[in-house]
Amino acid sequence: MSLQITKEERENRQLVLTIQVDQDRVDQELRKAARKFAGNYRFPGFRKGKAPYHVVAQQVGLPALYNEFLEKLGETVYKEALEQEQLEPYARAALEDVQIEPVTYKLAMPLEPVIDLGDYRALRVEETTPTVDEAEVDARLEQYRDQHANWVDIDRPSQYGDKMNINLRSVLIPDAGETVEAEEASVEETVILNETDWDVTPDQENPMEPAGLDEELLGLRPGDEKEFDLTWPTDSKSMYAGQRAHFTVKVNHIQAYEKPELTDEFAQLVGPDFTTLEDLEASIRTTLQERAQAQADSEYLGRVLDALVAQSTMNYPPIVVEDQIDSMLADMEMQLRRFGIESLDSYFQQTGQKLEDVRESLRPDATTQALRNLAISELLRLEALTVNDEEIETRISAMTAGADEETAQQLAATFRNESARMILESQVLRDKAVERLLAIARGQGDATPAAENTAEAETAETEVADAADANATPDAAPTAETTETPAATEESTTQEG
């Protein structure tokens, strides 16, 4: 039974399908829905399941009958329409409208992007070689010195920041009138502080009270004794505000937080692989150079991809960017779960954010990544890149490296199954496309000519399409769905020691 289908092309690679269903087919669906109602409910004057169509339709209403089958029928006729019109959508269609009389479905179907990379083999992007600043080496050495710093006993005059162990006693000094009365009454002195083995650290930014106490503790050596008078300010919150006290202090010992000197012994303290300070410095330089190179490589790839996108002409459906946003949100949710946050919804509730606002904030980066992915996919097709079993096994070996033999075998078996293998093929193909693009941008000789209309090119295009569609179901229900886009190139870093 053929469908009445009209097609209308929209901008941005979208095709609007208007599918009208034959009335006889609709009538059959209405009667099936009525029989279902009659079987589930009792209608006055009829036994359960025996009420005729016109009675059920009158009692429950036609809208209720239509609701019973419209969604399922829509899925069915969408598949039939794809087959009838020999259409291959890029992703699932979105249902825009449904009409009842006659039953008509209106769907917006995204079409395969059309990409023209231009003269991509003439693309050249200048590359810079990163260098290591010796100041970075010195800074790393200082970090190691900080890590291995410790409190040590010293025999020098005390300074701010030293840890001092002291005995401290302070008594209130009465004013002149109070002194005479105290002598006549033989009243005991008022002790404010009487501390033994008291650890204090003179601090210029956060001084103790009364003001001046930190300064009085400076310049003393272990064993020194000192007496001095101090007055609390009148605006002090202390109960002794405006009063004067006499202090007696004895220094028991002093410790300073000292960093080790830059010697061979210090290098050996950092790690067993270092014999001399020169060994440590060389390792630091190597690590910094590797990290700088990794960063430079990542930035260079980004500039090359952006240059390729800039010279290309791309016509693609909006779902391309929406899918990339969905992928970024999924990554965000995965990260949140690692911090114990259950879902994006709960995170948005805690932060007062709205999903729509977050999606829009991600759109610029998502658009950049989506266009880069489209360019890489087209490069794969044009260059007829393929992947073989040996390359897949090499990737599997790298992914299982470090695991014990039994675990490695189990993981390898998992990676070799059909769906996992298609994902690995997609990753390997992407890596090969990136390598080829970088070779072109650098003007290197291993950027071999692109394959043209050959059987090899057709095979490569099929593999790329299969890998890209590993998780896609274009002939499914006409609802908006997402597909996962290739992940960005990972940046690796190393550590010295």
Side-chain angles (χ1 to χ4, degrees), residues 280-291:
L280 175 58
E281 292 173 336
S283 176
I284 293 174
R285 289 190 189 92
T286 299
T287 298
L288 292 175
Q289 182 65 42
E290 290 174 348
R291 291 182 179 178

Side-chain angles (χ1 to χ4, degrees), residues 79 169 174 181 194 226 235 250 360 364 439 446 456 471:
K79 294 178 182 179
R169 189 172 188 275
E181 294 177 1
N194 191 15
K226 184 178 182 180
D235 59 352
K250 178 183 179 182
E360 287 308 306
D446 58 348
E456 180 184 1
N471 298 317

Side-chain angles (χ1 to χ4, degrees), residues 32-80:
K32 285 167 56 178
R35 287 195 294 272
K36 183 177 179 180
F37 270 100
N40 292 334
Y41 303 98
R42 186 178 297 278
F43 291 85
F46 299 93
R47 288 180 296 167
K48 199 171 186 179
K50 298 299 181 180
Y53 170 76
H54 71 277
V55 172
V56 176
Q58 185 179 20
Q59 292 290 325
V60 303
L62 283 176
L65 295 181
Y66 276 109
N67 285 338
E68 281 295 312
F69 66 84
L70 278 179
E71 182 177 353
K72 186 175 181 181
L73 180 61
E75 297 175 2
T76 302
V77 298
Y78 175 63
K79 294 178 182 179
E80 294 175 2

Side-chain angles (χ1 to χ4, degrees), residues 410-438:
Q410 292 175 348
L411 289 173
T414 301
F415 293 140
R416 292 188 185 104
N417 69 40
E418 184 176 359
S419 59
R421 180 185 172 88
M422 292 184 70
I423 294 174
L424 287 182
E425 287 179 356
S426 177
Q427 293 174 350
V428 174
L429 283 169
R430 177 187 169 84
D431 291 346
K432 295 178 75 171
V434 167
E435 291 174 5
R436 177 63 55 83
L437 178 60
L438 291 176

Side-chain angles (χ1 to χ4, degrees), residues 331-442:
D331 290 342
M332 182 187 299
E333 187 166 39
M334 187 179 301
Q335 292 292 333
L336 290 172
R337 285 177 178 169
R338 292 177 181 173
F339 291 101
I341 300 177
E342 192 172 315
S343 65
L344 278 176
D345 289 340
S346 59
Y347 174 72
F348 292 152
Q349 289 176 1
Q350 294 174 23
T351 59
Q353 293 177 287
K354 294 182 179 179
L355 176 60
E356 296 77 11
D357 295 336
V358 175
R359 289 188 70 88
E360 287 308 306
S361 70
L362 294 174
R363 189 170 299 279
D365 288 342
T367 301
T368 297
Q369 187 59 49
L371 298 187
R372 288 177 175 182
N373 291 336
L374 289 178
I376 290 175
S377 296
E378 181 64 8
L379 184 70
L380 274 170
R381 188 186 70 81
L382 294 174
E383 292 293 303
L385 298 175
T386 60
V387 58
N388 55 42
D389 291 341
E390 183 180 353
E391 290 169 322
I392 292 296
E393 290 301 317
T394 299
R395 179 60 62 94
I396 291 175
S397 297
M399 295 175 70
T400 57
D404 59 79
E405 184 175 355
E406 182 179 355
T407 302
Q409 291 177 353
Q410 292 175 348
L411 289 173
T414 301
F415 293 140
R416 292 188 185 104
N417 69 40
E418 184 176 359
S419 59
R421 180 185 172 88
M422 292 184 70
I423 294 174
L424 287 182
E425 287 179 356
S426 177
Q427 293 174 350
V428 174
L429 283 169
R430 177 187 169 84
D431 291 346
K432 295 178 75 171
V434 167
E435 291 174 5
R436 177 63 55 83
L437 178 60
L438 291 176
I440 291 172
R442 290 166 174 152

